[in-house]
Amino acid sequence: MEKKRILLVDDHQLVLDGFKMIISKEESFKVVGVAKDGIEAIELTSELDANLVMMDINLPSINGIEATKKIKAKYPQVKVLILSMNESQEYVIKADQAGADGYLLKSIEKEELVEAINTVLNGGKYYCKALSPELIDLVVNKNYKSDSNDSHLTAREIDIIKELALGSSSKEIAEKLFISDRTVNTHKTNIYKKMDVKNSVELLVKAKQRMII
C-alpha cells in the first residue's frame, strides 16, 4: 500500500521534530518534508505532491490561515489540518472559513493524532476532542456568522494593510500598487473606519488578531 504523503508546517524545530517522530512510526504515513513559513508551505505542497498538510497558524511571511486558503484554492484535493496552541472560537472559525479539514491542539495525544489524520485523508472533518462540544457543533454545522468589520474590507484594502505590516510608507505603497498617494490615504481612512481603529499601530494589532496579516 502506498504511504500517504504528509507535509509538516511550523516555525519551531522542536514541534516539527516531535510530530515527525510520531507520524513516521505509522506504516501508512510518510513525512515528505517540512516548512517553516506560509510561502514555503504553499510551494512544497505541490513540489512534494503532499496528500496532507499539517499547518501551524502563527507563521512568518503569511500566516497558516492565509496559506490554507491559497493551498485549498490551488490544490483542492490536498487535505489541511490546522495545528495550534490556541483553542479560541475565532481561530477555529477562521480555519473553517479558510477551508481547513480539521483543527487540532498541539497537546493532542498520539492516538487521537493518528485518528485525525486518517479521518481527513478519508474525506472527513476532524476537530480535536479537547475543544468544547459547543464550539465543535458550531463549526461542524456552520452555525456561525462573521460579524467582524474586516469581512467588509476590499481586496485592495487588505493589500494596503499587508504593505503597512511590512513597514511600507504611503509613497512606497502607492508606487507598488500603481496608485496615487492621495488614493492610498483615502484607503487608509476607510480601513481605520471599518476596523474601528485610530492609527496604524492599532490597525496592525487588530489585523494580526483577526489573522489578516
Side-chain angles (χ1 to χ4, degrees):
M1 181 180 69
E2 186 176 355
K3 293 187 176 184
K4 294 297 184 180
R5 303 168 64 82
I6 298 175
L7 172 65
L8 298 176
V9 187
D10 200 290
D11 59 337
H12 292 93
Q13 190 62 48
L14 283 176
V15 174
L16 291 171
D17 291 343
F19 278 99
K20 184 176 181 179
M21 181 178 67
I22 293 170
I23 294 169
S24 296
K25 289 181 180 179
E26 297 298 313
E27 292 184 359
S28 55
F29 307 146
K30 179 181 181 180
V31 176
V32 292
V34 298
K36 292 191 174 181
D37 65 61
I39 292 175
E40 187 181 21
I42 297 165
E43 293 172 348
L44 290 181
T45 296
S46 175
E47 289 178 19
L48 301 177
D49 192 25
N51 301 113
L52 168 67
V53 180
M54 299 187 67
M55 180 88 70
D56 185 23
I57 287 181
N58 296 313
L59 296 169
S61 68
I62 62 174
N63 64 52
I65 298 297
E66 289 301 313
T68 297
K69 287 180 185 176
K70 293 181 184 297
I71 288 171
K72 282 297 193 176
K74 294 179 72 173
Y75 318 109
Q77 78 283 2
V78 176
K79 306 299 181 182
V80 179
L81 264 175
I82 295 294
L83 284 170
S84 179
M85 296 291 292
N86 196 311
E87 55 188 284
S88 73
Q89 176 173 306
E90 182 177 10
Y91 271 48
V92 180
I93 289 175
K94 286 277 190 182
D96 185 64
Q97 291 173 328
D101 298 282
Y103 194 103
L104 305 178
L105 298 180
K106 290 183 181 179
S107 56
I108 193 170
E109 296 290 338
K110 172 192 170 184
E111 292 75 17
E112 189 179 0
L113 175 65
V114 173
E115 179 185 353
I117 293 173
N118 278 320
T119 298
V120 299
L121 285 173
N122 287 321
K125 294 266 190 178
Y126 195 95
Y127 293 92
C128 189
K129 294 173 183 175
L131 296 173
S132 74
E134 293 80 11
L135 176 55
I136 294 174
D137 181 71
L138 184 75
V139 177
V140 168
N141 294 300
K142 298 192 183 297
N143 289 327
Y144 56 79
K145 60 181 179 179
S146 176
D147 57 0
S148 298
N149 288 336
D150 61 84
S151 64
H152 303 298
L153 292 170
T154 66
R156 177 49 56 88
E157 288 168 347
I158 291 173
D159 287 340
I160 288 173
I161 293 173
K162 290 179 178 178
E163 287 297 331
L164 289 171
L166 294 173
S168 301
S169 67
S170 292
K171 183 177 180 181
E172 289 170 332
I173 294 172
E175 291 174 353
K176 286 182 182 180
L177 300 181
F178 303 103
I179 56 180
S180 69
D181 289 9
R182 176 181 287 183
T183 300
V184 172
N185 289 327
T186 298
H187 280 308
K188 285 172 68 176
T189 299
N190 291 335
I191 291 167
Y192 290 172
K193 187 180 296 184
K194 290 181 180 181
M195 295 287 284
D196 191 25
V197 296
K198 294 180 178 132
N199 53 51
S200 293
V201 174
E202 290 182 8
L203 170 64
L204 295 180
V205 169
K206 189 168 281 191
K208 187 171 181 63
Q209 290 172 341
R210 294 183 178 175
M211 291 170 285
I212 296 171
I213 56 175

